[in-house]
Structure formats: C-alpha cells, structure tokens
Amino acid sequence: MIAAKEAKALYDTSDVEAKGLMKSFEPQIIEAAKSGKRWIVITIGSSPTTQNPQPDSVQKRAMELLNELGYVSKWVAQDGDVYIPYGLMDDYGNGPMYVNYGIHIGW
C-alpha cells in the first residue's frame, strides 16, 4: 500500500482538477475567438474591495497549463467596476463594495 503522501503526489501530478477547470474555459475562448476577440477574462468569483483575492493551487496550475499551450494568462484581482451585491444592499442603496476577480486569457 502506498503512503498518503505518495498518493497526494500522484494526484498533484495528474492535473485532473486544473485540466477540468481549463475545459470549462474552452467554450468561452471559442466564442470570444469567433467574435474577433484576442482575449477574455474568465470571472472566478467576487470579493469585498477590502480583500486581495489570490489564485488557489488549481487556478495557478491551470494558468501554467494554458501558458504551456501558447496562451498568455494572468490573475486579475479586480475586473470591472465595483458594485454592491443586491442581497447586501440596504434600503438606501448602501452596503459593502465588491469587485469580480478571475483569469485573463489571451491568444
């Protein structure tokens, strides 16, 4: 029986999650390329403007694999304008400011 550490090492080198994440990007890349665009930003999530979101290990590996395929990819900590989520907005339109983050992919 292999040790858990060895099993984790095998899992990490398989890139299953990173390749799955990249596969989810493919339709958006195809659509953007057909529309004459040279890049897109894939939104991963949103966070309060007081935070500085960073990519997790799967997202980092997906960007590395994209670069190996000839794409240019980079993490975008703030994409678009800031906004107040409707569920967090008070009666006067005030609330915490949020911003989207994601991965910029160019070709």
Side-chain angles (χ1 to χ4, degrees):
M1 182 77 169
I2 66 171
K5 186 176 181 179
E6 293 170 306
K8 182 174 180 335
L10 289 172
Y11 171 80
D12 289 343
T13 59
S14 72
D15 290 329
V16 171
E17 284 187 278
K19 288 177 181 175
L21 183 60
M22 286 174 45
K23 189 72 174 162
S24 72
F25 299 162
E26 189 174 23
Q28 295 173 66
I29 291 171
I30 291 170
E31 185 62 34
K34 284 182 179 179
S35 299
K37 297 180 181 176
R38 302 266 309 152
W39 59 272
I40 57 171
V41 175
I42 305 287
T43 301
I44 300 293
S46 64
S47 68
T49 56
T50 56
Q51 296 178 358
N52 185 21
Q54 297 297 315
D56 63 24
S57 60
V58 173
Q59 294 158 349
K60 285 179 185 177
R61 182 64 184 145
M63 289 187 290
E64 290 171 3
L65 292 171
L66 285 166
N67 292 341
E68 289 174 13
L69 291 172
Y71 291 95
V72 175
S73 63
K74 65 179 180 177
W75 183 253
V76 179
Q78 294 187 346
D79 179 43
D81 295 330
V82 296
Y83 62 94
I84 302 170
Y86 289 121
L88 300 178
M89 193 179 296
D90 65 16
D91 292 340
Y92 303 103
N94 299 317
M97 302 300 284
Y98 273 65
V99 68
N100 294 334
Y101 59 87
I103 300 173
H104 177 279
I105 304 170
W107 50 89

